[in-house]
Amino acid sequence: MGAPLSSWPWENMGSYKYVLYGPLVAEAACEWRDGRSVGWSLHLLILFGLRSLTYQLWYSFTNMLFFTRKRRVINQGVDFKQIDNEWDWDNFLILQALLGSIISHHAPPLEDLPILGLKGCIIALLLHVGVSEPVFYLANRCFHGGSLFTHYHSIQHASPVPTPMTAGFGTPLEHLVLGAVMAAPLLGAFLMGCGSVGLVYGYVFVFDFLRCMGYSNVEVFPVRLLQALPFLRYLIYSPTYLSLHHKEKNCNFCLFMPLFDILGKTLNSKTWDLQREISAGKNDRVPDFVFLAHVVDIFSSVHVPFVLRSASSMPFFTNPLLFFLWPLAFFSMLVMWALSKTFLLSFYNLRGRLHQTWVVPRFGFQYFLPFARKGINNQIELAILRADKMGVKVLSLAALNKNESLNGGGTLFVSKHPDLRVRVVHGNTLTAAVMLNEIPRDVKEVFLTGATSKLGRAIALYLCRKNIRVLMLTLSAERFLNIQKEAPAECQHHLVQVTKYQAAQNCKTWIVGKWISPREQRWAPPGTHFHQFVVPPIIGFRRDCSYGSLAAMRLPKDVEGLGSCEYTMERGVVHACHAGGVVHYLEGWTHHEVGAIDVDRIDVVWRAALKHGLTPV
């Protein structure tokens, strides 16, 4: 048994905990059905919906790294462990909704209340400063010592990086105290006959807004404001102020007003200097490695940390709830197409080095529009030049950003800028290695679609050297013969051109580099395994066959601050072209990897990946 009020009664209910809002919903529905005037139950539901939205919007803001990266207080990323620990961060909203419903039965009817009253606002402000602030300060100091910290408050400090969700993450006892602190000014104003509906909405919103701001880990106060109005530092805390408390635990205990830390002699002496430094944008770091990605489609565009943390921390799938976000995603696509440039999406640290993912603001279908190709190449080129200017060591191109028909697998940029210091890498060598190591050793024949692509060519040449017969599906005899001539003379007979899917009706190993329809899949015999390097992946139509996922590798175990999944990949897993760039950086290779794949280096890159702790999925 844990300490009293240290765990939530509904912690094992999962998403069913929201059923606890049922009585409020039922009461509001009855009021509407009976034609009665709107009561407190509906306002409580609206209020707590708006509160959830406030926390979500603040979290979205903090993860818009293209806006906030220079003013982040703690540069560490939020990892999967913290996200899982804080998964039920909104438990306190349910608690306060239930308490609010009890109190509302003793509140005056809404028709007797004004929408807003100035006198009530003044009373609430005075009670906040005179009651809520000192009570919270004293309670917070108590929660940071002895058994109260051990059994209650320590779980919040277990989160390495403060986020708006961390503000809501706590035990029932803590939130009962916090709820009392928040309720005191409102109850006081109502007991004095000066309450109003607007006061409830306004005070609760400001309270949550300031809580989220403090836990945002992004310094929002500009240096000039603090210099012009130095007294503000005593009246309102900042994200820097709160982050110091979160890290050191023995200082900066106030609710919102540092004045009480000054009176209690618990103000951290480093607070103001650190706040000025971060406000000036001096906390930014240059990445060592960059993975240059692009958006796949409209639905997956919401699978990013600054939209929904719960969604981006899991592999992408078409969740029906995402349909509600489709109009917003479509509008964002249009804005990105017209105005946006390459932006920072996410980051993690590996062995003390900063790895970032940048995104070209283009969607998959746009790469196949002839009139869009020049603009896409301009975006990629500007990103490469920016990385070069910053001092990035390696930049790896994702998927369509290295399309052969678009820029020759990156050759266009390296040829145009021969003095680049940043190493441009397509990562296809490791992609080929992952594909080839998936194929069982006893296989004697494979069927290959997309056979004349960069990856198809490398796979065919590698397999024929292993005396494996490769049925290469292509209508171009010229391209087939060019590839065949690259193979050693004694191995060339292992490469066979085929022009129809029927040629593979007895082959149980299919390597798919070009999208195939269910109708074309039917030519595969029962028991066939489909290996694939095609984007998007093919549909698993055949129940009597098995389907592999896209080539990928798991990052080393010592990766830090990784909290989002890369498209459909599992946690900690990245596309092989991403992993290829990581290996290129860890090995310290100084050559570009663009254009055709060097077949002789496939085994070299594979061994290097395993040496550095990357593992096949």
Side-chain angles (χ1 to χ4, degrees):
M1 291 291 292
L5 297 176
S6 63
S7 61
W8 296 93
W10 50 80
E11 66 180 11
N12 294 321
M13 293 178 65
S15 297
Y16 291 106
K17 67 183 180 182
Y18 298 111
V19 173
L20 295 171
Y21 284 115
L24 280 174
V25 174
E27 187 174 352
C30 289
E31 291 171 352
W32 176 79
R33 183 195 63 188
D34 299 338
R36 287 180 280 165
S37 59
V38 175
W40 281 107
S41 54
L42 179 60
H43 280 289
L44 284 172
L45 290 172
I46 295 172
L47 185 62
F48 290 104
L50 292 175
R51 296 184 71 186
S52 299
L53 182 61
T54 300
Y55 279 81
Q56 175 58 52
L57 291 177
W58 263 105
Y59 188 84
S60 295
F61 168 73
T62 62
N63 281 277
M64 291 179 177
L65 299 176
F66 43 90
F67 285 145
T68 64
R69 72 181 187 280
K70 293 184 178 180
R71 290 176 282 116
R72 289 175 61 84
V73 184
I74 298 175
N75 271 325
Q76 188 176 343
V78 179
D79 59 19
F80 292 117
K81 181 180 179 181
Q82 178 173 341
I83 291 172
D84 289 342
N85 288 340
E86 296 176 355
W87 195 267
D88 292 313
W89 65 271
D90 60 345
N91 279 334
F92 81 101
L93 291 176
I94 298 176
L95 173 66
Q96 292 180 8
L98 296 177
L99 293 175
S101 66
I102 296 172
I103 296 172
S104 68
H105 285 90
H106 303 282
L110 287 173
E111 55 265 25
D112 296 340
L113 295 176
I115 295 177
L116 184 64
L118 179 60
K119 188 176 179 180
C121 294
I122 294 173
I123 292 173
L125 178 61
L126 293 174
L127 287 173
H128 176 87
V129 175
V131 178
S132 297
E133 287 286 348
V135 168
F136 181 88
Y137 174 80
L138 294 173
N140 203 19
R141 289 195 66 171
C142 292
F143 273 116
H144 283 80
S147 60
L148 284 177
F149 182 80
T150 303
H151 296 301
Y152 298 97
H153 196 56
S154 60
I155 65 168
Q156 189 184 72
H157 284 276
S159 296
V161 185
T163 72
M165 275 53 176
T166 311
F169 179 53
T171 58
L173 179 61
E174 292 174 279
H175 281 292
L176 284 172
V177 173
L178 185 64
V181 165
M182 185 172 66
L186 294 175
L187 290 175
F190 273 84
L191 289 173
M192 294 181 190
C194 300
S196 64
V197 177
L199 175 62
V200 175
Y201 276 90
Y203 181 78
V204 172
F205 170 75
V206 171
F207 194 97
D208 284 340
F209 185 91
L210 292 178
R211 287 272 292 172
C212 292
M213 181 198 72
Y215 278 86
S216 67
N217 194 40
V218 176
E219 187 50 68
V220 295
F221 290 101
V223 176
R224 291 182 180 180
L225 178 64
L226 297 175
Q227 291 173 342
L229 303 171
F231 64 88
L232 280 180
R233 66 183 60 176
Y234 305 112
L235 301 180
I236 184 71
Y237 76 161
S238 69
T240 304
Y241 195 97
L242 189 282
S243 294
L244 276 171
H245 163 79
H246 192 78
K247 181 179 179 181
E248 302 190 9
K249 305 180 185 68
N250 62 353
C251 59
N252 297 6
F253 294 105
C254 76
L255 178 58
F256 303 134
M257 299 178 66
L259 175 64
F260 289 90
D261 275 304
I262 295 173
L263 295 174
K265 298 181 180 180
T266 53
L267 178 69
N268 191 305
S269 59
K270 298 180 292 186
T271 301
W272 312 131
D273 290 337
L274 182 60
Q275 186 173 346
R276 278 194 298 269
E277 180 182 327
I278 295 174
S279 296
K282 297 180 180 179
N283 208 26
D284 196 16
R285 288 177 59 192
V286 174
D288 299 281
F289 166 77
V290 167
F291 179 58
L292 188 61
H294 62 82
V295 189
V296 177
D297 54 42
I298 293 178
F299 272 114
S300 66
S301 67
V302 300
H303 186 253
V304 290
F306 61 81
V307 177
L308 291 173
R309 179 168 81 163
S310 57
S312 66
S313 65
M314 304 296 290
F316 173 75
F317 68 99
T318 307
N319 189 324
L321 294 177
L322 297 181
F323 280 92
F324 294 103
L325 296 175
W326 193 92
L328 178 62
F330 183 79
F331 177 74
S332 299
M333 179 199 71
L334 297 178
V335 173
M336 290 167 63
W337 196 349
L339 303 174
S340 184
K341 60 181 180 180
T342 300
F343 60 90
L344 170 62
L345 176 65
S346 62
F347 70 94
Y348 60 86
N349 288 279
L350 181 61
R351 295 164 195 172
R353 302 298 182 181
L354 179 61
H355 294 211
Q356 291 182 345
T357 295
W358 297 0
V359 176
V360 174
R362 295 295 182 268
F363 289 63
F365 76 91
Q366 294 170 328
Y367 284 75
F368 301 98
L369 302 177
F371 63 85
R373 292 185 175 184
K374 182 179 179 181
I376 292 173
N377 273 333
N378 287 340
Q379 291 275 359
I380 298 171
E381 182 179 6
L382 289 173
I384 292 173
L385 294 177
R386 175 186 166 201
D388 188 65
K389 184 178 180 180
M390 292 172 63
V392 176
K393 303 296 189 300
V394 174
L395 184 144
S396 181
L397 300 172
L400 297 175
N401 285 335
K402 59 191 175 190
N403 189 282
E404 185 70 26
S405 62
L406 183 69
N407 51 48
T411 306
L412 173 67
F413 312 115
V414 174
S415 301
K416 188 175 179 180
H417 303 282
D419 298 325
L420 285 174
R421 292 171 298 170
V422 62
R423 297 309 173 202
V424 181
V425 177
H426 56 42
N428 283 339
T429 307
L430 185 57
T431 302
V434 171
M435 295 287 302
L436 291 164
N437 280 276
E438 289 178 352
I439 299 173
R441 295 182 180 275
D442 58 349
V443 167
K444 300 299 182 183
E445 181 182 70
V446 301
F447 175 61
L448 178 63
T449 74
T452 59
S453 64
K454 292 192 299 292
L455 270 169
R457 165 194 164 275
I459 290 170
L461 291 174
Y462 185 95
L463 290 176
C464 79
R465 294 181 183 185
K466 301 293 183 180
N467 296 320
I468 296 175
R469 189 167 183 256
V470 183
L471 306 177
M472 300 176 63
L473 180 68
T474 177
L475 297 177
S476 175
E478 180 183 357
R479 297 184 72 175
F480 167 76
L481 290 173
N482 287 338
I483 294 174
Q484 189 180 48
K485 290 175 183 177
E486 292 187 64
E490 65 276 14
C491 301
Q492 290 182 1
H493 66 283
H494 292 303
L495 300 178
V496 180
Q497 181 187 7
V498 297
T499 57
K500 296 182 179 180
Y501 288 91
Q502 292 91 315
Q505 58 188 333
N506 296 316
C507 179
K508 291 190 175 183
T509 301
W510 284 38
I511 304 176
V512 182
K514 184 178 181 181
W515 206 85
I516 55 177
S517 66
R519 182 178 181 180
E520 292 160 339
Q521 291 178 38
R522 69 179 183 176
W523 291 106
T528 295
H529 182 77
F530 292 90
H531 305 268
Q532 52 185 318
F533 58 93
V534 59
V535 179
I538 61 175
I539 299 171
F541 172 72
R542 295 279 299 275
R543 293 186 178 182
D544 57 349
C545 298
S546 56
Y547 294 81
S549 56
L550 294 175
M553 295 201 79
R554 190 175 301 278
L555 290 172
K557 294 181 179 179
D558 54 344
V559 66
E560 298 175 338
L562 182 63
S564 59
C565 292
E566 197 168 276
Y567 195 38
T568 58
M569 299 295 148
E570 299 174 9
R571 288 181 167 188
V573 175
V574 296
H575 290 89
C577 55
H578 183 154
V582 172
V583 172
H584 202 95
Y585 170 74
L586 293 175
E587 280 292 300
W589 289 329
T590 58
H591 64 279
H592 296 290
E593 183 187 286
V594 294
I597 298 172
D598 185 349
V599 180
D600 294 328
R601 287 189 56 81
I602 290 177
D603 287 333
V604 174
V605 174
W606 177 251
R607 289 192 295 268
L610 299 180
K611 179 182 76 173
H612 287 290
L614 285 88
T615 53
V617 181

